[in-house]
Amino acid sequence: MTLFVRSHSRLGRPVTITVGGMSTSAHASAAAIRNESAVTDRLVQANRRYAADFTDPGMDARPVLHVAVVACMDARLDLHAALGLELGDCHTIRNAGGVVTDDVIRSLTISQRALGTRSVMLVHHTGCGLESLTEDFRHELEDEVGQRPAWAVEAFRDVDQDVRQSMQRVRTSPFLLHTEDVRGFVFDVTTGLLREIDPVDAAE
């Protein structure tokens, strides 16, 4: 019999335990898939209820406030509520850590050059999961799947400094038209408040 138990490894891989030569792997996997699909089904049902009362807002694709917000994908960040934003106000670009990667530059470039945004707001937050990772994460993935990811983890230890680095990456990109109004913040997940980060470290 094969049992699946939750792993305590960094990658969260399932651990397979074989007992008595019988395997129930297929049953366990099928049950896991059913549970995961149930979540998606719930979201699809919610969309149907939403669509039943939906009215086309008649908006243009260009953000009303001409701003793009780059933020972490953390589930605790309700950006529209936290920033007082309404539908159509901004472009929202989210990834793990809210760091400025090549793909974020790609999105910002399209946002500015094709859709008229001019300001960039960067939002990191306290207690970010990237603070507990290192680039060893990539090596562990390579050990597991036999191929090292082409992307960097972009882990960090100092959230303020990472915001500064993200601001610098935006301001020095040759692809962006508007780099004058680039501001960075750290959102406190316990108080809901933003704290603005000076782009230049006071020690410098």
Side-chain angles (χ1 to χ4, degrees):
M1 181 172 64
T2 303
L3 302 176
F4 286 83
V5 297
R6 181 67 61 186
S7 170
H8 295 290
S9 72
R10 189 188 302 272
L11 296 180
R13 298 172 57 190
V15 176
T16 303
I17 302 173
T18 303
V19 180
M22 281 180 54
S23 174
T24 57
S25 305
H27 298 295
S29 296
I33 291 171
R34 281 196 300 272
N35 288 337
E36 291 167 1
S37 295
V39 174
T40 304
D41 289 340
R42 187 179 73 183
L43 300 181
V44 171
Q45 290 166 7
N47 170 257
R48 289 171 181 162
R49 293 190 295 272
Y50 169 78
D53 298 321
F54 184 78
T55 301
D56 182 0
M59 293 178 176
D60 187 85
R62 294 170 177 263
V64 173
L65 299 182
H66 309 290
V67 61
V69 181
V70 180
C72 184
M73 67 184 186
D74 193 292
R76 295 169 291 179
L77 273 66
D78 184 350
L79 284 176
H80 275 67
L83 302 178
L85 294 166
E86 301 292 339
L87 182 68
D89 280 347
C90 73
H91 280 158
T92 305
I93 305 164
R94 300 185 71 161
N95 65 18
V99 296
V100 175
T101 60
D102 286 345
D103 193 61
V104 168
I105 293 295
R106 164 188 168 271
S107 293
L108 287 174
T109 302
I110 294 169
S111 177
Q112 290 192 357
R113 291 180 175 269
L115 295 167
T117 61
R118 301 181 63 89
S119 300
V120 179
M121 183 177 188
L122 306 172
V123 182
H124 284 33
H125 67 93
T126 58
C128 184
L130 284 191
E131 294 179 79
S132 63
L133 294 177
T134 68
E135 289 300 320
D136 287 342
F137 186 83
R138 296 172 70 237
H139 301 306
E140 293 172 4
L141 282 173
E142 182 179 17
D143 291 341
E144 179 182 337
V145 304
Q147 180 178 338
R148 183 180 298 180
W151 38 263
V153 177
E154 296 280 0
F156 54 86
R157 291 288 177 267
D158 183 335
V159 65
D160 289 21
Q161 184 56 33
D162 204 66
V163 172
R164 292 187 187 98
Q165 175 175 278
S166 291
M167 284 191 281
Q168 183 67 8
R169 287 178 177 178
V170 172
R171 287 176 169 151
T172 58
S173 172
F175 306 111
L176 299 177
L177 291 172
H178 307 291
T179 58
E180 301 83 10
D181 187 16
V182 179
R183 296 170 66 182
F185 301 82
V186 174
F187 176 84
D188 190 319
V189 298
T190 62
T191 68
L193 288 173
L194 287 174
R195 176 171 57 85
E196 186 159 9
I197 303 301
D198 191 316
V200 179
D201 193 336
E204 299 176 358

